[in-house]
C-alpha cells in the first residue's frame, strides 16, 4: 500500500525557517516525480514545487521561488521542503504527492502537515 | 502563467441530481487537465486525469470532457458521499502547475 507521511510542521516566526519531510513507502520511490501542494486555512489548493525522479530538475511556484527548496533522498525514500524567509502568507497545510507524469495527475497524497507562520 | 477559472464557486444540489462544473484555462492546455475531490480535513483525491480518463477505483458516475481551454466535470447522479469541494488542475505549462479556485458542492 502506498503511504506518504509528512512531518516537520509547526509554529515559526516570520523570517524563520522550517524543513518539511515526507516519508514514502509501498512503492519504488525513485521511479516517481514528487510534489508539494499547500492549502491555506479555508482556501484552495496551491501548487508549490516539483522534483524529478533523480532530483536533477526542480520547478517552483513564483510565490516561493528563491525561498523554498525541494529535494529528495532516494536512498531514504524521503522528500523534503526547505522553507526559508517564511511569511504569514505561507501559513498552510502542506501536502506531499507522487506522480508518474503531470499528464496522469497526482495519484497519491499524504495527510498533510500544518505550518503556521506567526509572531 | 496559465490561469484556471472554475465555475460556479459553489452550488447546492440534491441526491440524484446531475451536476456539472466548468473549468476554463487562460490559454490552450490541450488535454492536460486533472480533477480532484477534497472532503473537509482530508487530502485531495484524483478523480479524472488527462481531461476525460477515470482514475482507477473512481465511480463511473464521474466523467470529464473538454480540450483546449474549456473543460467540464460531470456527476451523473449525485450521491451523499459526493458532497465535497472539486478542483481542476492544469499540468501543461512549462512543468509549473495551477489549480482552479475550487467548487464546493453542498446539499440542497
Amino acid at each position: 500500500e502506498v503511504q506518504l507521511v509528512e512531518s516537520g510542521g509547526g509554529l515559526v516566526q516570520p523570517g524563520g525557517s522550517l524543513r518539511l519531510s515526507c516519508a514514502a513507502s509501498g512503492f519504488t520511490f525513485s521511479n516517481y516525480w514528487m510534489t508539494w501542494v499547500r492549502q491555506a486555512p479555508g482556501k484552495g489548493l496551491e501548487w508549490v514545487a516539483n522534483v524529478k525522479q533523480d532530483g536533477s530538475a526542480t520547478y517552483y511556484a513564483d510565490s516561493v521561488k528563491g525561498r523554498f527548496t525541494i529535494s529528495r533522498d532516494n536512498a531514504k525514500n524521503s522528500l523534503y521542503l526547505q522553507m526559508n524567509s517564511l511569511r504569514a502568507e505561507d501559513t498552510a497545510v502542506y501536502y506531499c504527492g507522487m506522480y508518474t507524469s503531470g499528464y496522469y495527475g497526482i495519484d497519491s497524497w499524504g495527510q498533510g502537515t500544518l505550518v503556521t507562520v506567526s509572531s | 502563467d496559465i490561469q484556471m477559472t472554475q465555475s460556479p464557486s459553489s452550488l447546492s444540489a440534491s441526491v440524484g441530481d446531475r451536476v456539472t462544473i466548468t473549468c476554463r484555462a487562460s490559454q490552450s492546455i490541450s488535454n492536460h487537465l486533472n480533477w480532484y475531490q477534497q472532503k473537509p480535513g482530508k487530502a485531495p483525491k484524483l478523480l479524472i486525469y488527462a481531461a476525460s480518463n477515470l482514475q482507477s477505483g473512481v465511480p463511473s458516475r464521474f466523467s470529464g470532457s473538454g480540450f483546449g481551454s474549456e473543460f467540464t466535470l460531470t456527476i451523473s447522479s449525485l450521491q451523499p458521499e459526493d458532497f465535497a469541494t472539486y478542483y481542476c488542475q492544469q499540468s501543461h505549462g512549462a512543468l509549473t502547475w495551477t489549480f482552479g479556485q475550487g467548487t464546493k458542492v453542498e446539499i440542497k
Side-chain angles (χ1 to χ4, degrees), chain A residues 52-98:
Chain A
K52 196 177 177 181
Q53 291 94 329
D54 61 0
S56 62
T58 56
Y59 303 90
Y60 297 93
D62 287 345
S63 59
V64 306
K65 201 174 294 181
R67 301 187 299 123
F68 289 12
T69 302
I70 187 172
S71 63
R72 62 192 297 162
D73 184 335
N74 287 345
K76 295 183 178 180
N77 289 345
S78 292
L79 173 71
Y80 305 104
L81 185 68
Q82 178 67 43
M83 304 185 295
N84 298 331
S85 303
L86 282 162
R87 307 165 180 167
E89 55 264 35
D90 296 318
T91 294
V93 173
Y94 285 73
Y95 296 100
C96 66
M98 55 178 278

Side-chain angles (χ1 to χ4, degrees), chain B residues 40-63:
Chain B
K42 300 293 186 182
K45 172 188 172 184
L46 179 64
L47 297 177
I48 302 283
Y49 66 89
S52 60
N53 296 275
L54 197 65
Q55 175 71 355
S56 176
V58 174
S60 59
R61 62 181 179 273
F62 291 93
S63 64

Side-chain angles (χ1 to χ4, degrees), chain A residues 33 35 37 39 43-47 50 59-62 65 95 99 101-107 109-112, chain B residues 1 31-32 34 36 38 41-46 49-50 53 55 87 89 91 94-101:
Chain A
W33 286 76
T35 186
V37 173
Q39 186 169 36
K43 302 297 184 183
L45 301 172
E46 180 187 15
W47 170 72
N50 293 342
Y59 303 90
Y60 297 93
D62 287 345
K65 201 174 294 181
Y95 296 100
Y99 64 101
S101 157
Y103 186 78
Y104 296 105
I106 306 167
D107 54 19
W109 299 66
Q111 85 289 349
Chain B
D1 289 359
N31 66 337
H32 297 168
N34 307 309
Y36 300 86
Q38 188 181 34
K42 300 293 186 182
K45 172 188 172 184
L46 179 64
Y49 66 89
N53 296 275
Q55 175 71 355
Y87 295 92
Q89 175 233 344
S91 57
L95 296 175
T96 59
W97 296 345
T98 322
F99 287 90
Q101 79 277 19

Side-chain angles (χ1 to χ4, degrees), chain A residues 9-42:
Chain A
L11 176 64
V12 61
Q13 292 189 336
S17 298
L18 210 55
R19 189 198 199 202
L20 304 184
S21 299
C22 172
S25 61
F27 64 102
T28 305
F29 182 71
S30 57
N31 286 353
Y32 289 83
W33 286 76
M34 297 296 293
T35 186
W36 288 99
V37 173
R38 69 184 181 183
Q39 186 169 36

